[in-house]
Amino acid sequence: MNLLILGSGGREHALAWKLARSTRVKKVFCAPGNAGTAAIGENLPISISDHDALLAAARAHRIDLTVVGPDDALAAGIVDRFEAAGHRIFGPSKAAAKLEWSKAFAKDFMRRHGIPTAASREFDDFAGALEYCRMSPRWPLVIKADGLATGKGVIIAENSAEAESALRAMMEEARFGAAGHRVVIEECLQGPECSVHALVDGQRALLLPMAQDHKRLLNGDLGPNTGGMGTASPPVRAPLAGFEPAVHRTILDPFLAGLRTDGLPFRGLLFPGLMLTVDGPKVLEFNARFGDPETQVLLPRLTSDLLPLLEATIDGELAGIEPEWDVRAAVCVILASQGYPEKPILGREIVGLDSLRGAVDVYVFHAGTKREVDGRVVTSGGRVLGVTALGATLAAARDRAYEAAAQIRFEGMQFRRDLAAGA
Ligand code: AMP
Ligand code: GLY
């Protein structure tokens, strides 16, 4: 089979790496890809927003299956377009992916189907939103842009002055473009966070191992929210026995029932971000795609083939499928550019990649990288590399990931030094 992976991040490199190991896969194309995916198969220099060109490429290269990485491609309807043209593609339709691309839609879905989540209100007028915040008896309040904002459209406001400036930035100054015209204001939940990944075939949900993201830029969970600065699987505070059945009972089962009631066909990867509160797990948000950098710890732990899982999801045949997982832990350290997440500085040469070639149980997933004509690999995005290691314990995986990361250098490189702390 020939596969096409859409996107250019670490998640897509991990998907390409894992799928290329499938005995049934002949060649993996990536559009547009990065320096890491180029070394696995072939990069096609096509933007994921150019649906015509992507379809033409899928035909020209006889692609048997396309896998969508990022949320914006789903929101733009790439799955509908490919399916209408008779191409197999992994990911939910635009209508189903609305659970990610509109937080107001997701909130309404959760309220109607009894899925635990923070209490919230939606506003599309600035004055109404501001008035609601000013009257709030409880602080902090969480203010979210309704649409996609690459993980940055969530502000935790400690008081009404902070709420006002967040609302002004989103609703009046359009900091997140149209994504912020509508906002969701919700109660602030407390507790550790956990990333849940489940393959959903429309009828059933197959839970993957739990992972933990570190979303803040700086050590000690300080600084701005990012797309994710590193992940651990399992999470440091491993979910207690009974957690997985609780996720099925309180979140996935009502989710599946809600799909049926609403006639919403969701086939793809559902990734609810959870807060583990004293009242049980609550959904912070739904994502309709693999997490980045969650994928970079989940796929190295998957010892069986990924391809049949994706195919069964598309075909509604997840029943009886049992993937095999490495019992060892995995930690991924993200190496980010100077200036990330606001204004990453690009074009800096990356050195040390060669020294990790062949390292055992270490995987270097490229994100914002590109290979220049002279062969040098340079930075081309905010998150540059994800260095994943496996280990018998989380502490061993973490130490090995940091040792490997220490081999790599580029000017202004920043990374969290406290990932999986306390493991
Ligand atoms: P989201 O994009 O909705 O996952 O939000 C990004 C981050 O903001 C989450 O990972 C949480 O750390 C934080 N967050 C979102 N919603 C809430 C909430 N209701 N209470 C506390 N923190 C939240
Ligand atoms: N790492 C969080 C996300 O992919 O949304």
Side-chain angles (χ1 to χ4, degrees):
M1 288 173 74
N2 290 328
L3 304 190
L4 172 61
I5 294 169
L6 303 185
S8 59
R11 162 184 52 209
E12 288 77 16
H13 185 192
L15 285 164
W17 161 77
K18 182 66 187 168
L19 288 165
R21 298 169 71 125
S22 173
T23 49
R24 285 160 52 219
V25 171
K26 197 163 87 201
K27 185 160 178 185
V28 178
F29 294 85
C30 216
N34 56 40
T37 60
I40 290 175
E42 183 178 339
N43 283 351
L44 305 173
I46 307 172
S47 155
I48 54 164
S49 57
D50 190 346
H51 294 187
D52 291 336
L54 291 173
L55 254 185
R59 287 201 186 100
H61 296 289
R62 301 177 182 285
I63 300 297
D64 300 290
L65 173 66
T66 299
V67 180
V68 185
D71 50 13
D72 44 356
L74 298 169
I78 187 70
V79 170
D80 311 65
R81 183 75 196 280
F82 266 54
E83 284 182 345
H87 282 272
R88 263 162 92 67
I89 183 163
F90 178 86
S93 65
K94 178 175 181 175
K98 192 169 186 183
L99 288 163
E100 172 163 11
W101 59 260
S102 169
K103 290 187 193 293
F105 181 81
K107 280 293 192 182
D108 179 57
F109 183 89
M110 288 189 266
R111 263 195 296 271
R112 287 187 298 105
H113 301 299
I115 297 170
T117 185
S120 69
R121 285 276 304 269
E122 287 101 54
F123 294 91
D124 42 31
D125 71 300
F126 173 74
L130 187 59
E131 175 68 10
Y132 177 79
C133 290
R134 286 202 174 127
M135 304 297 282
S136 176
R138 262 189 304 269
W139 293 90
L141 284 175
V142 183
I143 301 181
K144 300 183 172 185
D146 176 54
L148 298 177
T150 61
K152 293 158 209 156
V154 174
I155 289 171
I156 301 192
E158 297 292 341
N159 51 51
S160 69
E162 286 182 19
E164 178 167 350
S165 76
L167 292 172
R168 206 172 282 289
M170 288 181 194
M171 304 184 85
E172 298 212 311
E173 292 157 13
R175 167 120 22 110
F176 304 106
H181 290 165
R182 171 181 282 188
V183 296
V184 173
I185 302 178
E186 61 184 36
E187 69 173 313
C188 190
L189 302 173
Q190 303 291 338
E193 287 183 43
C194 175
S195 297
V196 169
H197 283 61
L199 290 163
V200 172
D201 70 359
Q203 304 295 323
R204 290 169 212 82
L206 174 74
L207 201 53
L208 312 188
M210 302 295 153
Q212 176 188 4
D213 191 8
H214 296 72
K215 285 212 169 92
R216 300 293 200 101
L217 179 69
L218 304 173
N219 297 333
D221 285 329
L222 299 173
N225 260 328
T226 70
M229 291 299 290
T231 39
S233 178
V236 172
R237 275 184 267 175
L240 303 170
F243 176 69
E244 293 195 3
V247 167
H248 271 289
R249 192 178 63 250
T250 66
I251 296 162
L252 297 175
D253 292 348
F255 179 84
L256 292 168
L259 295 183
R260 282 192 290 272
T261 307
D262 292 2
L264 195 65
F266 189 107
R267 282 186 303 277
L269 193 288
L270 179 74
F271 154 23
L274 300 190
M275 188 80 93
L276 311 182
T277 75
V278 288
D279 302 322
K282 293 193 178 183
V283 176
L284 295 175
E285 62 163 353
F286 283 131
N287 302 292
R289 37 112 196 138
F290 283 95
D292 185 343
E294 282 84 348
T295 306
Q296 293 92 306
V297 286
L298 292 177
L299 295 185
R301 293 190 66 201
L302 176 64
T303 52
S304 54
D305 194 344
L306 175 61
L307 182 61
L309 298 180
L310 303 186
E311 292 184 304
T313 302
I314 295 172
D315 295 333
E317 291 175 352
L318 279 175
I321 298 236
E322 284 179 22
E324 284 156 30
W325 299 98
D326 197 319
V327 294
R328 291 177 298 166
V331 170
C332 175
V333 179
I334 294 294
L335 307 180
S337 291
Q338 181 178 351
Y340 178 73
E342 265 82 40
K343 243 184 164 301
I345 299 173
L346 312 181
R348 289 183 164 160
E349 182 175 1
I350 304 166
V351 297
L353 290 169
D354 286 339
S355 64
L356 290 171
R357 201 154 289 152
V360 178
D361 291 333
V362 171
Y363 306 94
V364 180
F365 295 117
H366 289 232
T369 69
K370 83 173 179 213
R371 189 174 287 278
E372 300 285 32
V373 275
D374 61 10
R376 290 177 316 137
V377 177
V378 301
T379 63
S380 67
R383 291 186 293 177
V384 177
L385 296 160
V387 181
T388 297
L390 291 168
T393 61
L394 260 181
R398 175 197 62 203
D399 294 349
R400 187 174 229 157
Y402 275 120
E403 262 166 48
Q407 308 295 309
I408 298 173
R409 250 179 300 276
F410 54 87
E411 194 187 338
M413 176 171 108
Q414 48 170 344
F415 59 96
R416 292 255 317 236
R417 287 157 210 275
D418 63 344
L419 300 175

